[in-house]
């Protein structure tokens, strides 16, 4: 399995957006029309469900370059959706949309996925942020992925934005993470030490009909051989551009930091599979209140303390990569609270209304920044 040649620490972002009806706050199945109008727009992609469009960036050296592409793509979508009374917004899930009512994009690939996975395939009403970082040598890929797994679920906690599912408060910060791992090749990555082990794994899956191509392995952090990148997919979709660029900068800096450590001959950190799985569950359940395992000796630390230290340690890397301002946005997330925390508070302030949560999602998208929970006071009253 070849790994494409890529310049070290180039970066790209993919952001899945919801199409939300301005009158009902429910999802609209309008992606086919939107995509037809934007078929010549290079920063817009179709996704599995017709309630979703994905805005992407090109390949850049800086997060700022990626964000400029994202802004262009989002504005192009708005030009099509505004006349339809559709807003774009995002989060890891829609608070009250019924998964059973969502339509799948007309594609053999997606039809086969739903046919094979049945009930769980029909539950994939999920939205994520994916960040690609270029790796210049294939032999770095697996050690860096193992190192990223020591802090990957700190990133998940920061980005968690899916506490509600089909109208229910799940008591999870990221219910998206729990649902998505029900697909047979999704969830926490297999940890391999040598590239030939990954090749054998892929060959075995193809031989037994599990996958046809490696891109069907949808791990939280995975190699992307066709692009020559490590793709971090652990994040719930961010609700606004400010948090999108902060999370992307954190991932960009982490991958570059571990790459530099490898180049300079230092051993990269790793933790056993059972700690990885436990951290994913804790981050999904407790989000920013989680106590996560931080090393292979089983030492634990509150996620807030670890993240604060990570940001300080990565500041020189951020200076080098030109994303120090974006990285310091992580401190603002710690101050105002992650998206799932804001959503829960909005619902409490509005008698349990999930309409209020969707209104807040829409407001944050328009403001391009996280908003205090007191900001949203919609006309609609009472719980949905």
């Amino acid at each position: 399995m070849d790994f494409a040649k890529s310049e070290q620490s180039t970066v790209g972002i993919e952001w899945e957006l919801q199409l939300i009806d301005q009158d009902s706050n429910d999802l609209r199945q309008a992606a086919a029309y939107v995509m037809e109008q934007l078929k010549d727009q290079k920063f817009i992609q179709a996704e599995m469900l017709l309630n979703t469009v994905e805005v992407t960036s090109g390949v850049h050296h800086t997060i700022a370059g990626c964000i400029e592409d994202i802004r262009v793509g989002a504005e192009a979508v708005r030009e099509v959706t505004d006349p339809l009374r559709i807003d774009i917004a995002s989060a890891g899930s829609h608070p009250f949309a019924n998964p059973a009512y969502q339509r799948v994009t007309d594609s053999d690939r997606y039809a086969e996925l739903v046919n094979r996975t049945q009930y769980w395939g029909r539950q994939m009403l999920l939205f994520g942020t994916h960040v690609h970082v270029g790796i210049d040598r294939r032999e770095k890929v697996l050690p860096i992925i193992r190192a990223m797994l020591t802090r990957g679920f700190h990133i998940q906690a920061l980005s968690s934005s899916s506490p509600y599912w089909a109208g229910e408060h799940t008591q999870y910060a990221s219910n998206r993470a729990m649902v998505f791992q029900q697909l047979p090749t999704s969830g926490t990555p297999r940890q391999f030490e040598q590239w030939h082990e990954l090749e054998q794994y892929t060959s075995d899956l193809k031989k037994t009909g599990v996958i046809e191509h490696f891109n069907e392995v949808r791990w939280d952090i995975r190699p992307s051989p066709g692009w020559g990148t490590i793709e971090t997919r652990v994040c719930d979709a961010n609700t606004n551009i400010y948090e999108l660029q902060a999370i992307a900068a954190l991932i960009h800096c982490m991958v570059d930091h571990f790459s530099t450590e490898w180049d300079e001959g230092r051993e990269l950190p790793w933790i056993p599979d059972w700690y990885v799985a436990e951290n994913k569950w804790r981050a999904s359940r407790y989000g920013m209140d989680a106590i996560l395992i931080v090393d292979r000796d089983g030492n634990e630390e509150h996620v807030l303390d670890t993240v604060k230290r990570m940001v300080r340690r990565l500041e020189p890397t951020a200076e080098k990569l030109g994303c120090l301002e974006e990285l310091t946005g992580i401190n603002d997330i710690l101050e105002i609270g992650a998206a799932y925390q804001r959503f829960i508070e909005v619902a409490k302030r509005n008698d349990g209304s999930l309409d209020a949560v969707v209104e807040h999602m829409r407001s944050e998208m328009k403001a391009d920044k996280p908003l205090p929970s007191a900001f949203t006071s919609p006309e609609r009253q009472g719980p949905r």
Side-chain angles (χ1 to χ4, degrees):
M1 186 165 63
D2 292 332
F3 188 80
K5 186 175 179 58
S6 182
E7 187 178 348
Q8 179 61 48
S9 295
T10 48
V11 63
I13 300 173
E14 303 168 354
W15 192 20
E16 295 172 349
L17 303 180
Q18 304 176 21
L19 302 177
I20 295 181
D21 185 89
Q22 294 177 3
D23 301 303
S24 69
N25 277 328
D26 207 343
L27 292 169
R28 286 271 293 275
Q29 315 296 308
Y33 176 80
V34 173
M35 292 304 303
E36 176 61 26
Q37 304 309 304
L38 297 172
K39 58 187 176 184
D40 297 325
Q41 226 308 343
K42 64 180 179 179
F43 297 137
I44 314 296
Q45 304 293 330
E47 272 297 322
M48 176 177 171
L49 297 178
L50 289 175
N51 55 45
T52 311
V53 293
E54 182 179 72
V55 179
T56 69
S57 78
V59 179
H60 291 274
H61 290 91
T62 66
I63 294 297
C66 294
I67 293 300
E68 181 57 32
D69 288 352
I70 294 288
R71 290 185 186 277
V72 169
E75 187 55 38
V77 175
R78 287 191 180 100
E79 290 177 4
V80 176
T81 58
D82 281 352
L84 304 175
R85 295 191 58 75
I86 293 173
D87 273 346
I88 55 172
S90 208
S93 65
H94 185 282
F96 61 78
N98 188 331
Y101 295 166
Q102 310 311 311
R103 293 169 55 199
V104 177
T105 297
D106 185 12
S107 159
D108 291 343
R109 173 190 175 196
Y110 293 133
E112 177 56 30
L113 174 65
V114 173
N115 180 59
R116 181 169 186 242
T117 57
Q118 288 298 309
Y119 175 82
W120 283 112
R122 292 191 293 269
Q123 300 304 303
M124 294 296 120
L125 185 54
L126 311 170
F127 307 85
T129 293
H130 306 157
V131 179
H132 288 261
V133 180
I135 305 297
D136 61 347
R137 297 175 62 184
R138 191 180 74 176
E139 53 265 39
K140 290 184 182 181
V141 172
L142 299 179
I144 292 175
I145 288 176
R146 292 199 302 274
M148 288 290 290
L149 287 173
T150 68
R151 297 294 182 267
F153 299 103
H154 297 77
I155 300 170
Q156 179 182 295
L158 280 164
S159 71
S160 291
S161 58
S162 53
Y164 299 104
W165 180 260
E168 296 289 334
H169 186 187
T170 67
Q171 305 298 325
Y172 280 75
S174 176
N175 195 61
R176 167 191 168 274
M178 293 289 94
V179 174
F180 192 55
Q181 69 181 4
Q182 303 308 315
L183 295 183
T185 56
S186 298
T188 55
R190 306 275 179 171
Q191 296 195 69
F192 297 112
E193 294 188 10
Q194 302 293 329
W195 190 260
H196 70 83
E197 296 174 328
L198 178 64
E199 289 178 320
Q200 185 62 58
Y201 168 83
T202 305
S203 176
D204 290 346
L205 292 187
K206 289 180 177 179
K207 181 178 180 179
T208 54
V210 179
I211 63 172
E212 292 185 5
H213 190 275
F214 183 77
N215 65 12
E216 296 170 61
V217 176
R218 301 176 179 91
W219 290 335
D220 296 324
I221 304 174
R222 70 177 183 181
S224 187
W227 292 106
T229 65
I230 289 175
E231 181 184 7
T232 300
R233 303 163 48 89
V234 74
C235 302
D236 282 8
N238 304 107
T239 59
N240 59 84
I241 277 182
Y242 187 84
E243 287 181 306
L244 174 70
Q245 67 184 16
I247 295 289
L250 178 60
I251 294 168
H252 193 198
C253 290
M254 287 176 63
V255 174
D256 184 82
H257 168 74
F258 289 132
S259 177
T260 300
E261 292 285 286
W262 191 93
D263 286 340
E264 295 177 356
R266 286 186 279 274
E267 182 185 5
L268 298 189
W270 60 275
I271 57 176
D273 289 337
W274 47 93
Y275 288 168
V276 173
E278 177 63 16
N279 275 350
K280 175 171 183 170
W281 186 85
R282 292 186 190 183
S284 302
R285 172 66 177 87
Y286 300 111
M288 298 307 295
D289 292 321
I291 296 173
L292 299 183
I293 303 162
V294 294
D295 58 35
R296 59 188 184 230
D297 295 324
N299 293 307
E300 300 170 288
E301 187 174 50
H302 195 287
V303 67
L304 283 168
D305 296 329
T306 311
V307 169
K308 289 176 182 177
R309 191 172 65 254
M310 287 166 59
V311 171
R312 289 194 300 269
R313 185 178 184 187
L314 290 170
E315 284 176 355
T317 301
E319 287 267 20
K320 179 182 74 172
L321 296 174
C323 62
L324 181 59
E325 182 178 353
E326 290 91 343
L327 179 67
T328 56
I330 295 295
N331 294 323
D332 294 326
I333 300 176
L334 301 181
E335 180 68 26
I336 197 172
Y340 80 92
Q341 294 171 309
R342 303 195 297 273
F343 291 172
I344 292 169
E345 184 61 26
V346 165
K348 287 180 180 177
R349 286 174 176 267
N350 291 275
D351 300 322
S353 171
L354 297 187
D355 271 305
V357 176
V358 180
E359 297 279 358
H360 194 84
M361 290 165 52
R362 291 166 59 189
S363 296
E364 290 200 350
M365 179 64 73
K366 290 174 182 176
D368 284 342
K369 63 182 181 181
L371 298 171
S373 56
F375 177 85
T376 301
S377 184
E379 296 179 2
R380 298 179 181 85
Q381 297 297 320
R384 175 176 285 273

